[in-house]
């Protein structure tokens, strides 16, 4: 899709914010105005960017947020984590260089996430926008889960992006699992969900599943609805608006991108 609103004007670039969601296959570019109005939405195969995408990427945006998938993720109890001892964890990462491991404390959970972002993606976006705020997609997913969590139930959250699913489980408001799985079909997703239910002794149905990155009426939502008493779409804190119906529908699946600025 290549959508550029008639209200998009080059001389207002300093007041616009560019949001990017990227992986090894596809990019999504969203330019948002001061009133949270979507002025540009472009999605493309990142090996074959459209002319419109190339033009947008060459513009001097002052505020740029980029969401990239992690390639390794490790959870450490915050009380025992010491940033000066990163070398203790290098064997758990694809790239064992200490300077390639980043970390962030997960509020109210008592854990710190150690992670890496795929180097090719990181270098690509750093070269285009050196001052961009680059964040792992899981930070926005977790943030939305915390803001939507019902403390009285067990909650399974599934975030779909590309051919991957991040699945994490809260029990009594505490995070018990967060893992990334390769998925091609709803059968793949069902296999991992059922395995998690078995491993955590969840009998019958999960009390609530929250779906992110795809609508409830998608093939992913249809399959997940079998395993829960309550299926909901993840809600973002902020809302983007567009008078173009196709754009409005498309950006629903970018719910984590909307909240990326909160994760700074």
């Amino acid at each position: 899709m290549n959508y550029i609103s008639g209200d998009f004007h080059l001389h207002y670039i300093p007041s616009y914010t560019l949001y990017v969601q990227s992986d090894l296959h596809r990019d999504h570019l969203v330019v948002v105005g001061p009133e949270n109005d979507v002025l540009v939405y472009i999605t493309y195969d990142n090996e074959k960017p459209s002319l419109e995408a190339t033009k947008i990427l060459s513009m001097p945006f002052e505020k740029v947020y980029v969401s990239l998938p992690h390639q390794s993720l490790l959870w450490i109890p915050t009380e025992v984590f010491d940033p000066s001892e990163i070398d203790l964890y290098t064997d758990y990462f694809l790239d064992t260089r200490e300077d390639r491991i980043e970390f962030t404390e997960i509020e109210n959970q008592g854990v710190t996430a150690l992670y890496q972002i795929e180097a090719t993606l990181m270098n690509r976006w750093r070269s285009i926008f050196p001052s961009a705020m680059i964040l792992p997609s899981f930070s926005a997913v977790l943030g939305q889960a915390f803001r939507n969590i019902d403390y009285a139930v067990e909650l399974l959250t599934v975030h779909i992006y590309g051919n991957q699913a991040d699945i994490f489980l809260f029990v009594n408001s505490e995070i018990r699992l967060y893992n990334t799985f390769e998925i091609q079909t709803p059968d793949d997703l069902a296999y991992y969900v059922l395995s998690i239910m078995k491993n955590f002794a969840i009998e019958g149905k999960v009390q609530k599943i929250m779906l992110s990155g795809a609508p409830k009426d998608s093939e992913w939502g249809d399959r997940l609805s079998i395993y829960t008493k309550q299926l909901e779409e993840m809600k973002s804190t902020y809302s983007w608006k567009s008078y173009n119906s196709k754009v409005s529908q498309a950006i629903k699946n970018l719910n984590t991108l909307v909240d990326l600025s909160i994760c700074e």
Side-chain angles (χ1 to χ4, degrees), residues 129-190:
F129 297 111
S131 300
M133 178 63 66
I134 297 179
L135 296 162
S137 57
F138 75 80
S139 60
V141 178
L142 278 176
Q144 289 187 353
F146 293 147
R147 288 186 287 276
N148 285 279
I149 195 170
D150 182 337
Y151 290 91
V153 301
E154 59 196 15
L155 169 68
L156 188 73
T157 296
V158 180
H159 176 60
I160 306 290
Y161 57 103
N163 62 349
Q164 292 183 312
D166 283 2
I167 303 178
F168 54 105
L169 176 69
F170 288 96
V171 177
N172 295 324
S173 78
E174 294 182 354
I175 191 167
R176 298 295 179 85
L177 173 142
Y178 193 127
N179 214 337
T180 301
F181 302 94
E182 295 286 336
I183 57 170
Q184 298 294 335
T185 68
D187 289 340
D188 298 332
L189 181 59

Side-chain angles (χ1 to χ4, degrees), residues 99-154:
D99 61 356
R100 285 277 294 114
I101 300 175
E102 302 184 58
F103 60 90
T104 182
E105 184 177 348
I106 307 303
E107 286 187 50
N108 304 319
Q109 292 295 311
V111 294
T112 294
L114 279 66
Y115 65 93
Q116 288 180 336
I117 292 175
E118 204 277 332
T120 302
L121 279 174
M122 176 69 84
N123 293 337
R124 175 187 170 213
W125 289 105
R126 278 281 178 238
S127 66
I128 299 174
F129 297 111
S131 300
M133 178 63 66
I134 297 179
L135 296 162
S137 57
F138 75 80
S139 60
V141 178
L142 278 176
Q144 289 187 353
F146 293 147
R147 288 186 287 276
N148 285 279
I149 195 170
D150 182 337
Y151 290 91
V153 301
E154 59 196 15

Side-chain angles (χ1 to χ4, degrees), residues 26-118:
R26 197 156 191 81
D27 295 341
H28 300 268
L29 309 180
V30 183
V31 177
V32 178
E35 303 300 322
N36 282 337
D37 46 328
V38 175
L39 302 172
V40 175
Y41 174 60
I42 299 175
T43 181
Y44 56 91
D45 181 331
N46 56 29
E47 293 185 353
K48 299 177 182 178
S50 63
L51 178 61
E52 291 84 356
T54 301
K55 289 180 179 179
I56 292 296
L57 294 176
S58 68
M59 294 178 182
F61 292 96
E62 294 182 5
K63 293 175 289 186
V64 180
Y65 294 92
V66 181
S67 174
L68 301 179
H70 59 273
Q71 65 174 10
S72 297
L73 181 61
L74 182 66
W75 302 93
I76 304 295
T78 299
E79 63 181 359
V80 301
F81 174 67
D82 184 342
S84 67
E85 297 179 342
I86 288 286
D87 60 299
L88 296 176
Y89 310 106
T90 55
D91 288 345
Y92 297 97
F93 290 87
L94 294 175
D95 187 334
T96 58
R97 290 174 294 176
E98 292 181 33
D99 61 356
R100 285 277 294 114
I101 300 175
E102 302 184 58
F103 60 90
T104 182
E105 184 177 348
I106 307 303
E107 286 187 50
N108 304 319
Q109 292 295 311
V111 294
T112 294
L114 279 66
Y115 65 93
Q116 288 180 336
I117 292 175
E118 204 277 332

Side-chain angles (χ1 to χ4, degrees), residues 239-253:
S239 295
W240 290 337
K241 54 191 177 184
S242 174
Y243 296 109
N244 183 295
S245 59
K246 291 184 178 179
V247 172
S248 295
Q249 184 61 39
I251 61 177
K252 283 181 63 178
N253 295 340

